[in-house]
Amino acid sequence: MKIFVIILLSVWCLYLIVFYVWPLIFALSLRCLSERNLEAYLIKCYRKFQNSPRNVNDKSLAQLLNLAMHSYEFWNELKSSIQESLAQETNAQEKANLQNDIIYCDQKIDFWGGALETLQKEIQRREYFNSFRN
């Protein structure tokens, strides 16, 4: 009986670690990442989805869509603030730097806009095919 209780406690501890502690540590590690590293991780997740969309479940797809939407909005806001700074700038070198920043923001906006469109189409496709199951 004593061995059974030890085995039961061991399985319970393993379950606790795998399903509660590990995701909590992972979530905390993502919160500690810099903006650049976090976006690199999001791009990696999106590329993983692009390579094999069937391996991504519906919940992860919805979360990826939400994060892509936030990234898209972030880059749009950054671009508008850079454009405001560009309108007020008088130094030629700073103007050139700000124009380069706008070009970079445009690239990010195009990427995340395409990602949003792709993710929304995939969600709609899944909803359409899931409607046949009901």
Side-chain angles (χ1 to χ4, degrees):
M1 184 67 176
K2 188 176 184 180
I3 295 175
F4 177 72
V5 170
I6 292 172
I7 291 173
L8 190 62
L9 285 174
S10 299
V11 169
W12 181 76
C13 287
L14 183 64
Y15 176 81
L16 183 68
I17 290 171
V18 169
F19 292 107
Y20 292 101
V21 175
W22 184 256
L24 181 64
I25 291 171
F26 182 69
L28 289 174
S29 69
L30 285 179
R31 290 178 190 211
C32 294
L33 288 177
S34 67
E35 288 179 12
R36 174 177 242 147
N37 290 338
L38 183 61
E39 186 171 25
Y41 176 75
L42 292 177
I43 291 171
K44 181 180 173 184
C45 290
Y46 178 69
R47 299 277 189 217
K48 184 179 174 184
F49 160 76
Q50 279 185 322
N51 291 337
S52 56
R54 296 189 188 269
N55 291 342
V56 178
N57 63 16
D58 292 341
K59 183 180 176 184
S60 298
L61 189 64
Q63 290 173 345
L64 189 57
L65 176 69
N66 189 18
L67 293 171
M69 196 174 311
H70 285 296
S71 291
Y72 181 77
E73 291 170 1
F74 169 78
W75 287 107
N76 270 328
E77 290 173 8
L78 184 63
K79 180 182 174 185
S80 65
S81 69
I82 291 173
Q83 287 173 336
E84 289 173 7
S85 298
L86 182 64
Q88 298 171 355
E89 189 61 47
T90 57
N91 186 354
Q93 181 64 32
E94 278 298 317
K95 278 188 174 185
N97 289 339
L98 290 173
Q99 287 172 344
N100 288 337
D101 290 343
I102 289 175
I103 291 170
Y104 182 73
C105 287
D106 283 336
Q107 291 172 349
K108 291 292 189 172
I109 289 169
D110 290 342
F111 175 79
W112 286 116
L116 277 174
E117 185 178 323
T118 302
L119 292 168
Q120 288 170 343
K121 285 181 180 178
E122 178 65 19
I123 288 175
Q124 290 173 351
R125 186 191 70 78
R126 289 184 183 194
E127 288 174 353
Y128 175 75
F129 285 111
N130 286 339
S131 68
F132 292 128
R133 292 184 185 172
N134 297 331

